[in-house]
Amino acid sequence: MTQAGSEPRPRVLIVDDDIALSSLLADYLGPLGYEIDTAGDGLSGLDKALSGSYAAVILDVRLPGLNGIEVLRRLRERSSVPVIMWSTMGEEPDRVAGLEIGADDYLAKSSSPRELLARLRSVLRRSALAAESAETRPQSHTVGALFVDLATRHASVEGRALTLTSAEFDILACLARSPGRVRSREELLLEVADRNFESFDRSIDVHVSSLRRKLGDHPKTPRHIETIRGVGYRLRRSNDPLG
């Protein structure tokens, strides 16, 4: 319960069929200021996640009923609530699929509760900053046929609205703020995740690949997002030469 005059506790939904693990995390996160709810299967988890009452969702991949990937797919059709997916080690296809569909982060179950807490705080902080920016610092950027509105988190290309995940929008906004400037993978990772990744983490490449598909970019001759080999990415200006 929230006491009068105090800040509301962020509500977090844990969707996992491992009841013992969910209970362990609830016992860990509860005293740290979070209100925890749980669901033990995909269908009930999706129903609760769509209620709109959660600040974030921690979503297992391997679930009875609907698996976590399908839960995320259906959730993203109607909600942008931050989602941290987690699963056992070595499930690279699930990880890539989750990021492409719209997971805000992906964590191995072998990670410590402290690491999960850090990731949770990160996605909640980014969500709060985005909301604050929309209220106090409305900005928009036009780069050629591309339009990015930071206030409404809306983007379009040639007048066609783009349906982007939160991570994809953050990457595009970062590039659009300084068109023509090369942004390293590390810069983009910090922009969208507010944390350092290991050098072998390729999640930014996954997000950029998905962004390019939505922008209609050809990977070899992109009109918008250009790869700078060994460095990172940049958003091409309308007068930049191809290649």
Side-chain angles (χ1 to χ4, degrees), residues 163-177:
T163 302
L164 304 177
T165 67
S166 59
E168 289 167 359
F169 182 88
D170 288 340
I171 291 171
L172 187 60
C174 180
L175 294 171
R177 282 196 295 268

Side-chain angles (χ1 to χ4, degrees), residues 105-122:
D105 207 340
Y106 198 110
L107 186 64
K109 279 191 173 184
S110 58
S111 302
S112 68
R114 289 182 62 187
E115 174 71 3
L116 177 61
L117 174 63
R119 304 288 185 93
L120 177 60
R121 284 173 171 167
S122 178

Side-chain angles (χ1 to χ4, degrees), residues 3 7 15 24 53 64 75 85 87-88 93 103 112 123-124 136 142 146 168 178 187 199 203 209 237 242:
Q3 297 180 355
E7 290 294 323
V15 185
L24 177 68
S53 59
L75 181 61
M85 298 202 75
S87 189
T88 54
S112 68
V123 298
L124 290 176
T136 63
T142 300
L146 178 67
E168 289 167 359
S178 52
E187 285 181 279
S199 60
S203 60
S209 177
R237 296 165 295 195
L242 288 172

Side-chain angles (χ1 to χ4, degrees), residues 23 27 32 49 122 223 229:
S23 178
D27 290 342
L32 297 173
S122 178
R223 293 181 301 149
R229 188 177 298 276

